[in-house]
């Protein structure tokens, strides 16, 4: 069976993707500047979306998202399981690197982070941070991600992923990168960590590429826009 999509459907979805925070009400001309489609084609697509409830045409002729979008958002929200999204990515990252992979989110106190999910290989010596552990601010790669992205305390111009060697304890090294979610907000950090004695001898470029690639995938699943994903995970 062919994997080819349906062009008309993809075009209609590209019309919906034009709506963003700050661009909730768009004219036909606005769509034309955002899409490489003829105005007549855009107008027909909008008419179909209006009839199906995905778009509403306002009195002034502009368009906004319709109630059907809210309904689907509620369905998605009720069926969303963060564990089912994050854990498979941690398992694959851990399997490909042979090291512990973890997902951190903000904790109650500024700068503190909670290890929400974690996966480690069954054999060998590994970092012993457990899921549920709250970590204070520090200079580890994960601590610096939270300092930059959650608190804005230092420059976010550093090349991603961030790395650290012996920052939290003298025996552990790690790589960490921010994870972005809905509305392009920072939601957490993806980290791989392991004994410094072992990580000193790995293919660092490969590890960095894996962390960035899986953070891109996770951010996509959590609702980050293509623009911010392309900017962060290049």
């Amino acid at each position: 069976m062919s994997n080819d999509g349906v062009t008309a459907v993809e075009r209609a979805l590209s019309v919906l993707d034009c709506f963003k925070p700050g661009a909730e009400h768009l004219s036909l001309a606005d769509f034309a500047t955002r899409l490489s489609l003829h105005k007549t084609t855009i107008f027909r697509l909008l008419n179909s979306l209006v009839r199906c409830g995905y778009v509403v045409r306002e009195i002034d002729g502009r368009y906004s998202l319709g109630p059907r979008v809210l309904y689907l958002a509620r369905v998605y929200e009720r069926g969303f399981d963060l564990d089912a999204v994050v854990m498979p990515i941690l398992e694959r990252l851990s399997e490909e690197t042979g090291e512990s992979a973890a997902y951190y989110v903000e904790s109650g106190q500024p700068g503190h982070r909670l290890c929400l999910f974690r996966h480690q290989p069954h054999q060998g010596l590994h970092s012993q941070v457990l899921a549920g552990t709250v970590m204070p601010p520090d200079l580890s790669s994960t601590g610096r991600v939270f300092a930059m992205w959650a608190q804005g305390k230092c420059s976010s111009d550093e090349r991603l992923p961030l790395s650290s060697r012996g920052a939290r304890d003298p025996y552990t090294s790690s790589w960490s990168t921010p994870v972005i979610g809905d509305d392009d907000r920072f939601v957490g950090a993806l980290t791989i960590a392991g004994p410094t004695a072992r990580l000193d001898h790995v293919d660092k470029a490969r590890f960095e590429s894996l962390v960035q690639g899986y953070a891109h995938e996770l951010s996509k699943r959590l609702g980050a826009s293509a623009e911010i994903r392309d900017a962060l995970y290049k």
Side-chain angles (χ1 to χ4, degrees):
M1 183 178 292
S2 172
N3 288 325
D4 293 341
V6 179
T7 301
V9 174
E10 292 175 358
R11 286 179 172 177
L13 293 174
S14 72
V15 170
L16 292 177
D17 282 341
C18 289
F19 294 105
K20 300 180 186 302
E24 296 90 353
H25 308 276
L26 300 173
S27 67
L28 184 58
D30 292 329
F31 286 106
T33 62
R34 290 165 168 78
L35 299 167
S36 56
L37 298 172
H38 194 277
K39 274 189 177 182
T40 303
T41 300
I42 298 172
F43 183 68
R44 294 206 315 266
L45 291 168
L46 284 167
N47 284 341
S48 293
L49 291 168
V50 168
R51 282 197 294 272
C52 294
Y54 291 93
V55 168
V56 172
R57 191 170 190 272
E58 300 169 349
I59 296 175
D60 62 3
R62 294 188 300 169
Y63 297 87
S64 59
L65 289 173
R68 187 67 182 170
V69 176
L70 178 60
Y71 170 77
L72 292 180
R74 291 287 183 259
V75 173
Y76 172 78
E77 192 176 60
R78 290 185 63 179
F80 184 78
D81 182 352
L82 185 60
D83 185 302
V85 173
V86 176
M87 282 306 299
I89 287 178
L90 296 185
E91 290 166 7
R92 283 151 52 198
L93 180 57
S94 179
E95 181 179 350
E96 291 192 49
T97 61
E99 303 298 341
S100 300
Y103 178 66
Y104 290 86
V105 297
E106 288 187 86
S107 185
Q109 301 179 57
H112 287 62
R113 61 193 186 273
L114 166 69
C115 181
L116 189 60
F117 300 112
R118 184 175 182 276
H119 185 273
Q120 72 173 42
H122 297 296
Q123 298 180 341
L125 180 65
H126 297 284
S127 169
Q128 294 304 306
V129 176
L130 301 177
T133 301
V134 175
M135 310 289 290
D138 56 36
L139 295 178
S140 67
S141 62
T142 314
R144 283 158 50 219
V145 165
F146 277 86
M148 290 178 184
W149 292 82
Q151 295 185 284
K153 284 194 170 181
C154 45
S155 170
S156 59
D157 294 333
E158 285 191 70
R159 179 177 174 273
L160 297 175
L162 303 183
S163 63
S164 62
R165 185 181 187 276
R168 188 174 59 81
D169 67 62
Y171 310 108
T172 302
S173 292
S174 63
W175 284 274
S176 184
T177 200
V179 175
I180 309 300
D182 190 38
D183 288 339
D184 289 347
R185 293 175 295 105
F186 169 73
V187 294
L190 180 64
T191 300
I192 51 173
T196 297
R198 186 166 63 230
L199 291 182
D200 276 348
H201 302 286
V202 302
D203 183 343
K204 293 180 173 59
R206 175 175 172 271
F207 272 47
E208 291 176 355
S209 177
L210 286 169
V211 173
Q212 289 292 91
Y214 280 116
H216 183 287
E217 182 179 342
L218 181 54
S219 294
K220 181 178 181 180
R221 294 289 305 277
L222 295 178
S225 69
E227 290 82 3
I228 195 166
R229 286 186 279 115
D230 290 344
L232 288 180
Y233 308 121
K234 55 188 175 184

